[in-house]
Each structure stands twice: as C-alpha cells, then as structure tokens.
C-alpha cells in the first residue's frame, strides 16, 4: 500500500520445545525484551499449544504476537487430539504455520497432503488467523523438477482462497534439505533470492500477477545469527522462519537485532 512501511516478519517455530512451561516463560520473556527494542520488525512466537494460553496472558510489546504450529483441517467435533483454528484465535493466537514439512512427512509427521494443507489454510482464514503456508522441496535434482514441485504446492495450497485472502499471502520457503543444520550447510542468499522470485512468479502465473507480487516470502532452514543479516539484505525475503535458533534466548535475540534492517 502506498505510504505503508514494510515491516520485517520473524517467526519462531519452537516445535516440540521446551519441555516445561517455566522454560517457555523464560524464553518468551527474553524475546519480549528484545522485541520491544526493534524498530522495523514484527515477531511471532509459535509455541506448543499447551503453552499458548499462559504466554498470551502476559503483557508484551505490540510487535510481538503468538501463533500456532498447526491447526485441525476440521472446524469442530469428534476429532480426538485435534485443536481448532477457532480455539487458537480465542487464545489470542494471531498466526498459524500450515503445512510444515515435518507435518507433511509420513515418517515424522502425519503425512499431511496438499489437500489437507489447503483445507487448513481455509479454516485458518475462516477462524481469523493469518496462515503461513510452508513449501519446500526434499532435495534438488539436476533437471530442476523441484521447481514444478514447489509450484504445485503453491497452487494446491492456495486453492479456493478469495482474492482478498490471497493478497499479501505469507509463504515460507523451507527446503527440507536445509532444515535443522548449521548456517554453513544451508542456502546462500543468492539462491534464496532466486527462489523468492520464483515463488512470486509462480503465484502470479496461477493467481494473477498482482497477487504474486504482493506475496510475502519468508525463508526458513538453518537460520542462525551468522547468516541472518545477509539473508535479510540479499535474499529478497520479507522475513524468516526460525527453528532451533529460536530456542536459545541469546541466539534468537541476536537474530532479531540483526534482522531489524530497514
Ligand atoms: P531450523 O527449522 O531453523 O531448525 O532449520 C526451521 C523450521 O523447520 O521451521
């Protein structure tokens, strides 16, 4: 929008950590302190569901919000063990990560298909949550077929979203081969830049050029303090999705400060 300043978005995916509410509160409280010093950055913490309510009850700076790592593809009813989008929203969750590769995986996760991911996107929006759609290839092949794989994940994940919801959609590009490693083994800012352009172009080809250009691409996969600044500066990204480095208070504080560029 004209006159609107772009804000960076840094999302912390705590996954199944930490193991107690006490630790979760400690980590959250350090993050709050740092977040309150940032000028250009919004921070979203996605803790395990069980910590959401307690963390939401504490005071926090305006630029720090909470999110969930997943929601059910169903709205309500007899779905044992599931958590609905509405429940998350009522606990002051603002965002939700949808289709993370660990959930799409049938080895570690529940084997979420593109169809389920799409259903969750629709439920998230209906519940008033802001979805973060995760896409990413398992490996890179010589014939670049991973590009058509990503394009299909985007097409299927965003199916039946209204134009209003598609504008400014948040997509986290997380190549599976780069998750949970060290900054040394992950993607270069140049390659991230290329993928960010590819994602916007692909969304544009499927859903219209304006929508493609408005997409907010995050990068995730072994973001550490060492590669944060370069990815933010040269990766053409709107922000970052941070896993293991968001669990170490000091490391995450550094990441937030380094990412807080104009
Ligand atoms: P990582 O995880 O930062 O530990 O690589 C990122 C993610 O899986 O969201």
């Amino acid at each position: 929008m004209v006159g609107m300043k772009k804000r960076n978005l840094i999302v912390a995916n705590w996954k199944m950590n930490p193991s107690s509410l006490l630790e979760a509160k400690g980590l959250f409280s350090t993050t709050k302190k740092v977040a309150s010093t940032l000028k250009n950055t919004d921070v979203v913490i996605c803790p395990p569901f069980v910590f959401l309510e307690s963390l939401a009850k504490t005071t926090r700076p305006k630029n720090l919000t909470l999110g969930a790592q997943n929601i059910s593809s169903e709205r309500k009813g007899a779905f044992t063990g599931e958590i609905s989008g509405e429940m998350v929203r009522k606990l002051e969750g603002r965002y939700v990560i949808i289709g993370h590769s660990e959930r799409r995986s049938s080895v570690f996760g529940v084997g979420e298909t593109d169809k389920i991911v799409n259903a969750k996107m629709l439920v998230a929006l209906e519940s008033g949550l802001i979805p973060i759609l995760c896409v990413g290839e398992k490996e890179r092949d010589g014939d670049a077929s991973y590009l058509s794989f990503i394009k299909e994940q985007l097409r299927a994940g965003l199916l039946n979203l209204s134009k209003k919801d598609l504008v400014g959609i948040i997509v986290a590009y997380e190549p599976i081969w780069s998750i949970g490693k060290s900054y040394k083994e992950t993607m270069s800012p140049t390659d991230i830049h290329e993928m960010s352009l590819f994602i916007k172009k692909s969304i544009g080809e499927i859903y219209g050029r304006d929508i493609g250009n408005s997409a907010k691409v995050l990068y995730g996969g072994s973001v550490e303090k060492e590669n944060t600044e370069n990815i933010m500066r040269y990766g053409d990204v709107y922000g970052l999705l941070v896993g293991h480095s968001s669990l170490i208070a000091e490391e995450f504080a550094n990441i937030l400060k380094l990412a807080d560029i104009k």
Side-chain angles (χ1 to χ4, degrees):
M1 246 183 280
V2 185
M4 276 264 286
K5 221 171 120 218
K6 172 193 172 282
R7 303 218 10 115
N8 309 316
L9 183 68
I10 309 295
V11 183
N13 178 9
W14 284 3
K15 307 192 180 181
M16 201 167 69
N17 299 292
S19 52
S20 72
L21 177 60
L22 195 68
E23 287 171 85
K25 281 184 170 165
L27 188 54
F28 194 57
S29 118
T30 318
T31 305
K32 283 197 286 194
K33 276 186 213 130
V34 185
S36 66
T37 68
L38 305 174
K39 294 200 168 57
N40 311 298
T41 305
D42 293 324
V43 185
V44 181
I45 304 294
C46 300
F49 286 126
V50 287
F51 302 145
L52 199 54
E53 183 167 19
S54 304
L55 301 183
K57 276 186 182 149
T58 63
T59 52
R60 54 185 187 276
K62 266 211 193 91
N63 64 334
L64 182 99
T65 43
L66 286 154
Q69 299 169 17
N70 175 43
I71 49 165
S72 173
S73 55
E74 301 293 334
R75 281 146 190 89
K76 63 192 275 190
F79 302 101
T80 304
E82 294 288 303
I83 308 277
S84 75
E86 195 182 348
M87 291 171 186
V88 171
R89 186 68 196 109
K90 284 188 174 150
L91 287 185
E92 289 190 41
R94 191 80 196 95
Y95 289 80
V96 58
I97 298 171
I98 303 277
H100 189 279
S101 57
E102 284 152 18
R103 298 202 55 83
R104 292 183 190 253
S105 157
S106 48
V107 183
F108 311 111
V110 291
E112 271 181 23
T113 59
D114 277 339
K115 206 168 163 210
I116 295 173
V117 168
N118 178 240
K120 292 188 176 196
M121 289 293 289
L122 294 167
V123 170
L125 290 161
E126 212 179 281
S127 314
L129 295 167
I130 304 172
I132 300 167
L133 173 66
C134 295
V135 299
E137 75 281 1
K138 200 167 173 190
E139 55 201 2
R140 292 214 156 181
D141 38 47
D143 63 0
S145 64
Y146 64 91
L147 291 175
S148 40
F149 176 81
I150 303 278
K151 191 168 177 184
E152 177 52 23
Q153 281 191 324
L154 291 165
R155 190 199 62 77
L158 300 175
L159 208 64
N160 296 325
L161 264 67
S162 70
K163 182 156 189 206
K164 187 177 128 279
D165 289 331
L166 282 168
V167 174
I169 196 80
I170 305 176
V171 175
Y173 172 61
E174 296 206 303
I176 298 173
W177 51 269
S178 82
I179 292 178
K181 305 248 169 73
S182 101
Y183 75 96
K184 289 184 195 142
E185 296 160 271
T186 193
M187 264 188 128
S188 69
T190 319
D191 288 347
I192 294 171
H193 188 122
E194 197 174 81
M195 286 312 293
S196 170
L197 291 179
F198 175 77
I199 287 168
K200 287 188 240 182
K201 184 170 146 271
S202 299
I203 297 176
E205 281 165 10
I206 308 166
Y207 294 105
R209 198 194 284 187
D210 286 358
I211 288 171
N213 287 338
S214 76
K216 299 169 178 170
V217 180
L218 310 182
Y219 170 77
S222 303
V223 172
E224 298 187 334
K225 62 179 182 307
E226 288 83 356
N227 57 355
T228 295
E229 197 175 343
N230 278 344
I231 298 175
M232 289 301 289
R233 280 197 195 284
Y234 309 114
D236 184 40
V237 290
Y238 195 83
L240 306 165
L241 181 48
V242 187
H244 63 270
S245 299
S246 69
L247 294 167
I248 308 158
E250 202 186 320
E251 168 92 6
F252 192 53
N254 281 326
I255 288 179
L256 291 178
K257 286 184 221 155
L258 289 162
D260 193 36
I261 57 171
K262 258 213 171 126

